[in-house]
């Protein structure tokens, strides 16, 4: 079901999104070679709790009978890991790595969802370009995130921009409506046909999240039942904000 948020609900969405943004800032400030993804996850968890929020990814159901719920407060995906990487005490970041961090803050019943890919120390020009294109893909998409346009207009803009830059978008995962639930309708693929899908209306809150692969579009799931990696081993980047559809331009709620 697509939910249209009331004025009051929008205020609560903004608060949750603000926590997500502040938490990202805390992570970004602590990223350096030698730190483990578990340590970064602890920083994120403590930041969210201090701000009166709950890390909503923790204990998120896997969807498999034999795979435990998500064990951490953030998803931390390194290099060829696309999304849903599990923070680990045994994974130290190295100079030249790229780290995708995806987190959801749940505050007063509403969710704020945000992802970024960060450079660890000095990274290659190719990796830098991938991160920049992924970010730009989001902004190309939200040019169309306006009242009366359709979801397919946003999807198409993201997919075509990424293709024009020589990269691939992930097909199996997509953006989504967000509110009281982390994942609400509509689904928002990062590719598609313009003019298709539901019409956008003021009061919709959406998580738009290009997931971009340097090489081919194919992905694999690791045996942990969570981590998604690129099949060809090439790098992947992620850029996500929660936005609000308004009467005019969209508002980006996870950028302070
Ligand atoms: Mg997310």
């Amino acid at each position: 079901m697509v939910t249209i948020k009331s004025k009051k609900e929008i205020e609560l969405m903004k608060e949750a999104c603000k926590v997500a943004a502040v938490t990202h800032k805390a992570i970004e400030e602590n990223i350096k070679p030698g730190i483990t993804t578990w340590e970064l996850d602890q920083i994120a968890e403590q930041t969210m709790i201090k701000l009166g929020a709950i890390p909503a990814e923790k204990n998120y159901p896997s969807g498999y009978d034999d795979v435990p719920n998500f064990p951490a407060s953030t998803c931390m995906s390194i290099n060829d890991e696309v999304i849903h990487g599990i923070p680990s005490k045994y994974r130290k970041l190295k100079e030249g790595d790229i780290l995708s961090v995806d987190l959801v803050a749940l505050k007063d019943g509403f969710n704020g969802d945000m992802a970024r890919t960060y450079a660890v120390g000095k990274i290659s020009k190719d990796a830098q370009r991938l991160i920049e294109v992924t970010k730009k893909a989001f902004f190309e998409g939200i040019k169309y995130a306006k009242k009366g346009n359709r979801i397919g207009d946003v999807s198409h803009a993201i997919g075509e921009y990424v293709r024009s830059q020589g990269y691939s978008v992930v097909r199996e995962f997509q953006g989504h409506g967000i509110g009281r639930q982390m994942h609400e309708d509509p689904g928002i693929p990062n590719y598609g046909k313009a003019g298709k899908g539901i019409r956008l209306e003021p009061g919709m809150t959406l998580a738009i999240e290009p997931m971009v692969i340097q090489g081919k579009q194919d992905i694999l799931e690791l045996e942990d039942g969570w981590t998604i990696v690129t099949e060809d081993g090439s790098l992947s980047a992620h850029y996500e904000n929660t936005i609000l559809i308004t009467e005019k331009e969209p508002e980006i709620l996870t950028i302070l």
Side-chain angles (χ1 to χ4, degrees):
M1 196 180 81
V2 179
T3 58
I4 303 295
K5 276 77 180 178
S6 68
K7 217 172 156 191
K8 171 78 187 155
E9 288 171 331
I10 289 166
E11 287 314 308
L12 293 171
M13 280 298 295
K14 285 182 178 174
E15 287 303 309
C17 288
K18 195 171 157 187
V19 174
V22 171
T23 304
H24 261 281
K25 188 102 191 94
I27 293 171
E28 188 176 12
E29 282 168 0
N30 282 280
I31 288 179
K32 57 180 182 233
I35 196 164
T36 65
T37 49
W38 184 82
E39 287 170 295
L40 291 174
D41 185 70
Q42 291 299 296
I43 291 166
E45 180 172 301
Q46 285 155 19
T47 304
M48 284 190 260
I49 290 170
K50 202 168 66 192
L51 296 169
I54 295 165
E57 285 171 357
K58 200 164 201 175
N59 290 316
Y60 196 83
S62 71
Y64 299 110
D65 289 341
D66 56 348
V67 174
N69 294 349
F70 196 75
S73 294
T74 60
C75 295
M76 299 254 175
S77 310
I78 303 173
N79 296 335
D80 64 322
E81 296 170 357
V82 182
I83 48 169
H84 302 169
I86 301 172
S88 164
K89 287 181 181 169
Y90 308 103
R91 302 234 13 220
K92 283 187 183 169
L93 296 178
K94 297 192 302 288
E95 178 95 18
D97 282 343
I98 61 171
L99 173 69
S100 298
V101 179
D102 191 1
L103 61 88
V104 181
L106 171 64
K107 190 176 185 207
D108 296 329
F110 287 84
N111 290 280
D113 194 350
M114 175 177 176
R116 292 288 187 272
T117 298
Y118 298 108
V120 181
K122 192 168 165 41
I123 62 172
S124 70
K125 280 206 172 76
D126 284 354
Q128 191 59 48
R129 181 171 172 267
L130 175 70
I131 291 172
E132 281 161 15
V133 166
T134 306
K135 176 179 180 179
K136 179 104 190 286
F138 167 86
F139 286 97
E140 290 297 316
I142 67 159
K143 284 181 185 169
Y144 296 87
K146 286 180 188 171
K147 178 184 171 180
N149 282 353
R150 294 183 186 271
I151 286 290
D153 300 330
V154 176
S155 299
H156 178 77
I158 292 171
E160 285 306 297
Y161 174 71
V162 170
R163 202 164 61 96
S164 78
Q165 298 302 305
Y167 296 140
S168 310
V169 292
V170 173
R171 308 255 156 174
E172 292 84 350
F173 295 90
Q174 58 183 8
H176 48 91
I178 181 166
R180 288 191 183 276
Q181 305 299 321
M182 189 193 299
H183 296 114
E184 298 185 354
D185 289 335
I188 310 166
N190 291 307
Y191 67 98
K193 286 202 169 71
K196 298 281 180 193
I198 64 155
R199 278 192 200 281
L200 299 175
E201 289 175 46
M204 287 181 178
T205 44
L206 308 171
I208 312 267
E209 50 175 325
M211 289 160 257
V212 177
I213 298 176
Q214 212 175 20
K216 295 208 174 81
Q217 70 185 38
D218 308 275
I219 56 169
L220 296 171
E221 185 181 83
L222 298 187
E223 277 179 15
D224 62 21
W226 282 105
T227 313
I228 303 297
V229 298
T230 63
E231 190 175 280
D232 63 11
S234 65
L235 298 175
S236 181
H238 192 188
Y239 187 91
E240 175 182 34
N241 287 305
T242 299
I243 68 162
L244 168 69
I245 304 299
T246 73
E247 291 290 340
K248 292 178 180 153
E249 297 298 315
E251 244 182 272
I252 303 173
L253 306 184
T254 39
I255 294 180
L256 299 178

